[in-house]
Structures are given as C-alpha cells and as structure tokens.
C-alpha cells in the first residue's frame, strides 16, 4: 500500500470531526471520498498532509507521517490541492505553478513537469503571464491542480476539485485528473458530486459524520440501490 490510514481521529476542541477512520490507497490507484457537507472530507485530507493534528496511524510508503511537519510531507511525495484553491491571485499563472516546485532543485525535472502541466491544461500555457485573479473558476482550479503536480507527487490529494465550476469545465477537470492517474500518480479525492466521482475513481469511501460508512469499488457502489438513492438521486 502507498497510503495506510488506521483509526484516524481529529477533534476541533470538543467537536469530533473524524472518528477512527481507516482507509488505504495503493500505488497508482484513484480513490474518492464521498460525503455531504461537514462529513469530514477536508479534515481527512488535512490530517494526511499534516495540516491538522490527529491521532491514529498514518503511513506512507512504509514510513510514519505522524511525526512529520506539513512541509516534510510534501518532500515525501504527497501534494495537497486544498478546497478553495488557495492561490496567490495577484501573481501570474506561471509564478503560481512554480510555487509548487519550491522544494525542488532539479531544473530539468521542473521544466519537464511544467511542460506536462501545460500538456494537461493547454489554456495555462496561453495564460502563463496573466494574473490568476483574471481567470475563470475552472481555470483557477487547473492552476491549483497544476501547482500540486509541480511538487511531483506520488499521491495527489484533491479537495472538491469540481466545486463552483461550470459543467463543461468540470468534465474537463475530471478527465485531466484521470489522465494524471494514468501517468502513474495515485489520487485521493474528496468530492460531493458522487456521480462524477463514481465515474472516474477506482474505489470509493463514503464518510458520514466523521466515520466511514460504505466503501467498495465504484462499480459495486454504482450498482447499490441505497447509494443510488442517497447520492445519485436515482430511485
Ligand atoms: P465541506 O464539504 O463543507 O468542506 P467536509 O466534509 O470537508 O465538508 P470538514 O470541513 O472536514 O467537512 O468538517 C468536518 C466537521 O468539522 C464539520 O462539523 C465542521 O464544522 C468542523 N470543522 C471543520 N474545520 C473546523 C475548524 N477549523 N474549527 C472547528 N470546527 C471545524
């Protein structure tokens, strides 16, 4: 396993956000975490990237993450594309992308990864000198995903990449994420749009009130009547 999460718990003061969550992501696998607002999806991704304190076991490539600070987690190969994108709106597309490579010194590798991001999202090459605040929401999401890829992750954490994005761009973004997986990067994606997530992910965990409810392959969950009714709006 690339990522192993066992009995992960997170509390904000007295409020329990995650309670004994266990999940796994294999090398190169695409796993989605579904669940309604407030289920704990963002907290789960933050705990994995060590952006918030947690208890339990977090192992990545056979090493414990629990003792590491957030910046060291990036160095291990986990890049987090957070909810709300957290870009620098007054900096150019190119500068935002390059910030994702801030820990790296391998110039040739950085150039190659920048070319790969432009291949994935050609509009970003055209807009490279433009300040990010002038882009559409969907294009900003592409910059955020591209920035995370500039850290050359073996695991990409994506927090609701489709939120607030027009339908056409949303399909383009999910398609690009699938291509990122095909290039060999494992993906753990939090998503509220169950229909889209079940189309692209290999496996899915459903979070409810901070706990894992259902889990299984996308094919199995798509065929499950209770999932169809609760998440896909189909009777
Ligand atoms: P959303 O789709 O709204 O982001 P989510 O599934 O990602 O939902 P989280 O953001 O992880 O859920 O929140 C889980 C729970 O923890 C919620 O009840 C939320 O109110 C609470 N919570 C999240 N962040 C904090 C915080 N910084 N302080 C206190 N409570 C928080």
């Amino acid at each position: 396993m690339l990522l192993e999460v066992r009995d992960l718990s997170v509390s904000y003061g007295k409020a329990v956000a995650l309670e004994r969550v266990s999940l796994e992501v294999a090398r190169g696998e695409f796993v989605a975490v579904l669940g309604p607002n407030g289920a704990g999806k963002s907290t789960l991704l933050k705990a994995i990237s060590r952006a918030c304190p947690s208890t339990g076991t977090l192992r990545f490539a056979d090493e414990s993450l629990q003792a590491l600070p957030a910046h060291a987690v990036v160095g291990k190969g986990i890049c987090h594309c957070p909810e709300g994108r957290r870009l620098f709106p007054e900096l150019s597309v190119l500068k935002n992308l390059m910030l994702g490579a801030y820990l790296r010194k391998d110039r040739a590798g950085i150039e190659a990864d920048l070319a790969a991001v432009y291949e994935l999202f050609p509009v970003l090459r055209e807009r490279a000198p433009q300040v990010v605040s002038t882009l559409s929401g969907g294009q900003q999401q592409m910059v955020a995903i591209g920035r995370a890829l500039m850290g050359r992750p073996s695991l990409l954490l994506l927090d609701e990449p489709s939120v607030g994005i027009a339908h056409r761009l949303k399909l383009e973004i999910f398609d690009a994420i699938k291509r990122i997986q095909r290039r060999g990067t494992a993906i753990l994606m939090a998503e509220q749009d169950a229909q889209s997530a079940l189309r692209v992910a290999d496996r899915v965990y459903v979070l409810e009130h901070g706990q894992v409810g259902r889990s299984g392959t996308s094919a199995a969950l798509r065929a499950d009547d209770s999932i169809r009714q609760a998440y896909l709006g189909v009777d």
Side-chain angles (χ1 to χ4, degrees):
M1 276 301 150
L2 182 63
L3 175 74
E4 288 181 61
V5 175
R6 289 274 162 270
D7 294 330
L8 190 76
S9 298
V10 174
S11 299
Y12 296 107
K14 283 191 182 150
V16 178
L18 285 185
E19 200 178 351
R20 300 184 71 112
V21 167
S22 297
L23 61 83
E24 293 176 342
V25 181
R27 279 185 196 280
E29 192 180 23
F30 189 161
V31 174
V33 179
L34 300 179
N37 258 331
K41 303 180 299 300
S42 299
T43 300
L44 172 65
L45 299 189
K46 283 183 201 154
I48 294 168
S49 61
R50 301 284 304 127
C52 77
S54 58
T55 61
T57 307
L58 277 178
R59 292 186 70 76
F60 182 71
D62 283 330
E63 260 186 85
S64 174
L65 296 178
Q66 278 293 24
L68 297 180
H71 65 85
V73 171
V74 179
K76 295 285 175 196
I78 299 180
C79 295
H80 189 171
C81 183
E83 193 174 16
R85 307 189 272 267
R86 307 277 171 84
L87 296 170
F88 291 89
E90 297 314 320
L91 294 184
S92 69
V93 167
L94 179 60
K95 286 209 167 110
N96 271 278
L97 290 174
M98 293 308 283
L99 282 169
Y102 76 103
L103 284 177
R104 298 174 59 184
K105 306 248 181 305
D106 56 323
R107 281 188 139 212
I110 293 171
E111 284 301 318
D113 287 344
L114 184 61
V117 168
Y118 286 157
E119 195 195 320
L120 205 56
F121 300 118
V123 68
L124 299 187
R125 189 197 297 273
E126 290 161 31
R127 303 286 164 99
Q130 202 168 315
V131 293
V132 154
S133 59
T134 61
L135 302 185
S136 72
Q139 290 167 347
Q140 292 191 20
Q141 186 58 263
M142 293 173 189
V143 178
I145 295 171
R147 179 181 60 181
L149 289 177
M150 291 302 292
R152 195 174 270 196
S154 43
L155 175 66
L156 177 62
L157 305 177
L158 290 170
D159 200 346
E160 303 216 19
S162 79
V163 99
I165 290 176
H167 186 67
R168 191 182 53 78
L169 276 182
K170 199 162 143 171
L171 295 181
E172 207 176 301
I173 283 170
F174 279 117
D175 177 58
I177 297 168
K178 196 69 195 164
R179 280 189 284 145
I180 294 167
Q181 179 204 11
R182 293 205 183 103
R183 291 174 182 183
T185 307
I187 291 166
L188 182 61
M189 175 179 81
E191 186 53 62
Q192 277 194 54
D193 178 348
Q195 203 149 6
S196 300
L198 286 168
R199 204 177 305 129
V200 290
D202 301 318
R203 281 193 307 117
V204 169
Y205 294 86
V206 180
L207 263 189
E208 279 161 1
H209 307 297
Q211 293 181 303
V212 173
R214 300 293 311 279
S215 63
T217 63
S218 294
L221 267 69
R222 269 198 310 262
D224 183 304
D225 285 343
S226 60
I227 294 286
R228 286 157 63 87
Q229 282 163 19
Y231 291 98
L232 304 180
V234 185
D235 300 320

